[in-house]
Amino acid sequence: MNSLSVYLTVAAVLFSLGLFGVLMRRNLIGMLISIELMLNGANLNFMAFNRFLAPEPAVGQIMALFIMGIAAAEAAIGLSIILALFRRLRSINVERAQRLRG
Amino acid sequence: MMKWTLFTPELYYVAVASVFFLCSLEKKADPRRLYRWAVILAGVGLAVTVACARMEGFLFFDSYKVDLFSQVFKIFLALGMFFVTMVCSELYGIEPRKHAEFYFLLSICTLAMMMLVSAVELLTIYIALELSSYSLYLLVPMRHRADEYVETGIKYFMVGATASALMIFGMSYLFGITHTTYVADIIRKLPEVLNQPAAVVGLLLALGGFFFKQALFPFHIWAPDVYQGAANQVTTYIATASKMAAAAMVIRFVGMSTGQSEVFIQVLVALSILSMTFGNLVAIVQKDIKRLLAYSSIAHAGYMLIGILCMTQRGYSSAVYYALAYLVMNFACFMVIIKVAPDGHNLQIKELAGLHKRSPLLAMTLMLALFGLAGIPPTLGFTGKFLVFAAALEKGYLMLVIIGMINATISLYYYLIVIKAAYLLEPVREYGPVRVDPWTRVMSAALVIAMVYVGIFPDRFVALAEAAVSVLP
């Protein structure tokens, strides 16, 4: 097992854990953290491919930096929406926020 | 220095956004004045975008390509933004204090989607897509006095953030396999390696982000709730302009595979069939007209995908024409909804009863738009469906066309329920008269003429769509 596939496996595991978390968690903050895990899986992929395969050494690192920045913006927006929801419902559990159906 | 003229439409929308940002800092901005300015600025924006239609070139280290394909979609986006600002005269769905912010986010979103259709590099695509999504995440929960719809915003955010995480993960595989982030290079290298599972998985995951925007089957969960829970004008924007950008990007990304992979095509066929069937079947039982249109939009994403998955010039051009048709028809429906519910509440289908007496013009616009969505001959919706199915038949997808036809018939049923409510039902209680101002009359007449004219004489528009897709690599 060469070292690229180790990194790819770890990244895939991170990503799957994140996806599993988004689908299973009932707490909005937990879901937000799971989404960050998925993004970090992608980040690790970019860095590993960049280190072992890419002819241009900087591309993957730039991608990773931008993804980090965007993830921070995403967390800010997500938290502000969660906060607005919390003020109305007094809860951050998704089960409490399910009135629209059908 | 001359190169910056290529960026004119985007720069114009940056300027518009800054104007509204400054307005949002004011203590008290008069909604009427803001509305007038928004209409004027969006109108000028449409003119600027049309004036830049023939430009060609590369910007920003070749990561930004200005060509006829991107410019045509920019015109659609500017048109969508103009349409939406036109119906903001009674913006009761949003708190008056926040109107300036609403227009600010609207222009930022239009800017981001214009950048999206021009982007030909993975990082640029990702950032443009995120910028447009973030503005929409904020626009959706902005609705005024809507305690029953509080969860809409968070649902939209969670599904959207997950879809974009899937997309960037898929892009990382594409990068790993082709060692480049430029779409043109990926297209050159991908066909050789498309037999590897990682390439197909990467491409499909990367498409996920755009399928989310388009509300295609596995990523459709947000559509009904968001359509119902967002303010009427925001829903109009999501249903018209945001669909255009998604369609453009799906065309670009599906084109990456150049029809080499059987598995990839089969997955797209399956998604298209599931999307059409699911959307149409669930739409039948809906009572809220915005929710009904949400399910119909899921079905229409499926029809559009039929054209795209042919992966021929003909298929792509039919999808572009279909996108234009969908923009006009859907906007016509939403305009009627907004005018019949001027206080910004969610319109139930039964509230349309007797509309042909209350406002014959709006009733006719609604009827033609719904006939168009169902695909009945004299309208542009029929021509769009005809072109899409013809392109699919050319490639020999007979089963797909038959399933599409059956779905078109199912959809006719629920569109006719709405038309029946507007024309045949007597209202159970007295509804107030519908106030139709002169501008709305002009808009309705223009939409009716456009829907029939483009449907009967589609040649020039089809030629434009063909010219637009011919520049795709």
Side-chain angles (χ1 to χ4, degrees):
Chain A
M1 199 159 165
N2 66 29
S3 29
L4 175 62
S5 49
V6 174
Y7 284 110
L8 292 188
T9 317
V10 173
V13 167
L14 266 182
F15 180 80
S16 324
L17 278 179
L19 190 59
F20 182 75
V22 172
L23 297 175
M24 299 309 288
R25 294 296 290 234
R26 287 287 146 262
N27 182 313
L28 287 174
I29 305 284
M31 290 170 83
L32 202 59
I33 295 172
S34 308
I35 289 170
E36 301 293 313
L37 273 185
M38 292 168 79
L39 290 176
N40 283 335
N43 259 346
L44 195 56
N45 257 356
F46 273 115
M47 293 306 287
F49 283 131
N50 186 58
R51 166 73 181 74
F52 291 101
L53 294 177
E56 183 88 35
V59 182
Q61 299 181 20
I62 295 171
M63 290 289 270
L65 279 176
F66 269 93
I67 295 170
M68 279 180 202
I70 283 189
E74 193 167 69
I77 290 179
L79 282 176
S80 64
I81 298 176
I82 292 173
L83 199 65
L85 189 74
F86 178 73
R87 287 206 183 121
R88 300 235 181 110
L89 293 182
R90 290 280 138 207
S91 159
I92 49 165
N93 194 316
V94 272
E95 314 267 289
R96 290 283 302 277
Q98 278 188 347
R99 289 184 222 177
L100 296 178
R101 279 172 187 282
Chain B
M1 206 51 212
M2 273 306 286
K3 270 193 146 183
W4 285 100
T5 49
L6 295 175
F7 208 50
T8 319
E10 288 85 346
L11 285 177
Y12 176 80
Y13 279 93
V14 170
V16 173
S18 341
V19 168
F20 285 116
F21 177 67
L22 291 178
C23 289
S24 74
L25 298 178
E26 258 182 80
K27 274 254 158 44
K28 247 193 216 138
D30 176 24
R32 302 293 320 166
R33 206 188 60 188
L34 276 177
Y35 164 67
R36 259 199 308 279
W37 275 107
V39 169
I40 293 169
L41 287 175
V44 175
L46 182 58
V48 168
T49 320
V50 171
C52 295
R54 285 285 164 188
M55 287 186 172
E56 270 175 22
F58 285 94
L59 280 172
F60 310 129
F61 305 102
D62 293 354
S63 68
Y64 199 84
K65 186 179 178 198
V66 176
D67 55 16
L68 192 62
F69 179 73
S70 71
Q71 299 308 84
V72 163
F73 272 97
K74 279 178 198 168
I75 293 174
F76 291 176
L77 288 168
L79 190 66
M81 162 103 181
F82 177 64
F83 279 164
V84 173
T85 46
M86 278 297 279
V87 292
C88 285
S89 57
E90 287 129 345
L91 193 55
Y92 293 117
I94 310 271
E95 217 180 313
R97 202 160 50 84
K98 291 186 188 146
H99 280 191
E101 278 171 56
F102 167 80
Y103 294 121
F104 165 70
L105 289 171
L106 218 54
S107 15
I108 285 285
C109 193
T110 312
L111 162 75
M113 290 198 276
M114 284 186 167
M115 290 173 61
L116 184 62
V117 294
S118 264
V120 287
E121 199 260 348
L122 293 183
L123 185 59
T124 322
I125 291 173
Y126 179 62
I127 289 182
L129 184 81
E130 292 299 279
L131 183 59
S132 72
S133 302
Y134 291 172
S135 344
L136 289 178
Y137 295 157
L138 292 174
L139 277 171
V140 169
M142 251 188 172
R143 191 171 190 177
H144 190 31
R145 278 198 298 268
D147 274 345
E148 46 195 315
Y149 305 123
V150 277
E151 85 264 25
T152 320
I154 195 71
K155 269 187 189 162
Y156 189 45
F157 174 81
M158 284 301 172
V159 181
T162 313
S164 76
L166 287 174
M167 183 182 77
I168 195 70
F169 194 75
M171 282 181 176
S172 76
Y173 278 144
L174 286 182
F175 169 70
I177 281 174
T178 59
H179 309 161
T180 174
T181 55
Y182 287 93
V183 170
D185 294 342
I186 293 179
I187 290 176
R188 208 157 346 102
K189 288 182 189 164
L190 204 57
E192 304 154 20
V193 288
L194 210 58
N195 47 3
Q196 294 180 19
V200 179
V201 170
L203 200 53
L204 281 174
L205 284 178
L207 274 170
F210 307 116
F211 286 166
F212 158 74
K213 286 245 154 203
Q214 236 190 348
L216 204 80
F217 175 67
F219 299 102
H220 66 282
I221 326 153
W222 60 275
D225 292 351
V226 168
Y227 272 50
Q228 195 182 3
N232 289 350
Q233 279 83 356
V234 176
T235 311
T236 313
Y237 189 78
I238 293 177
T240 53
S242 131
K243 293 276 149 72
M244 298 301 109
M249 291 322 286
V250 171
I251 291 177
R252 234 195 239 299
F253 266 69
V254 169
M256 274 188 192
S257 78
T258 54
Q260 298 284 326
S261 165
E262 271 304 308
V263 185
F264 184 62
I265 295 177
Q266 276 161 5
V267 171
L268 290 184
V269 168
L271 286 183
S272 155
I273 291 174
L274 282 171
S275 199
M276 287 188 293
T277 317
F278 173 82
N280 281 326
L281 288 181
V282 185
I284 291 176
V285 296
Q286 299 305 323
K287 299 275 186 294
D288 183 315
I289 188 160
K290 281 205 293 179
R291 225 176 152 79
L292 183 137
L293 284 174
Y295 284 108
S296 111
S297 84
I298 298 172
H300 280 277
Y303 296 129
M304 228 182 279
L305 192 60
I306 295 183
I308 297 172
L309 65 83
C310 296
M311 299 192 202
T312 52
Q313 291 285 324
R314 219 176 168 159
Y316 294 143
S317 69
S318 72
V320 173
Y321 182 88
Y322 202 94
L324 170 70
Y326 186 68
L327 173 75
V328 175
M329 298 180 299
N330 225 9
F331 174 73
C333 284
F334 276 102
M335 189 187 74
V336 175
I337 295 173
I338 290 171
K339 290 299 161 191
V340 177
D343 58 345
H345 71 281
N346 273 6
L347 200 67
Q348 303 297 312
I349 292 173
K350 59 175 189 284
E351 285 177 66
L352 283 170
L355 185 67
H356 71 112
K357 280 190 201 132
R358 289 189 281 158
S359 169
L361 186 62
L362 285 185
M364 189 165 86
T365 315
L366 182 69
M367 181 177 77
L368 268 176
L370 290 173
F371 275 167
L373 287 171
I376 289 182
T379 58
L380 79 175
F382 167 74
T383 322
K385 277 209 176 62
F386 175 76
L387 290 173
V388 166
F389 289 155
L393 270 186
E394 208 173 50
K395 286 279 283 184
Y397 298 135
L398 182 62
M399 269 321 281
L400 188 60
V401 173
I402 291 174
I403 294 173
M405 292 300 234
I406 294 172
N407 265 298
T409 321
I410 300 174
S411 72
L412 190 57
Y413 173 73
Y414 59 83
Y415 291 130
L416 280 178
I417 290 182
V418 180
I419 296 173
K420 183 181 132 207
Y423 272 88
L424 299 176
L425 287 188
E426 285 305 315
V428 277
R429 64 181 172 86
E430 212 43 55
Y431 295 112
V434 180
R435 210 172 55 78
V436 185
D437 50 77
W439 280 111
T440 314
R441 271 178 219 285
V442 174
M443 280 289 278
S444 312
L447 284 170
V448 166
I449 292 168
M451 282 190 278
V452 175
Y453 179 82
V454 182
I456 298 177
F457 305 104
D459 326 3
R460 284 173 63 190
F461 297 90
V462 173
L464 179 69
E466 274 170 3
V469 296
S470 67
V471 299
L472 284 175

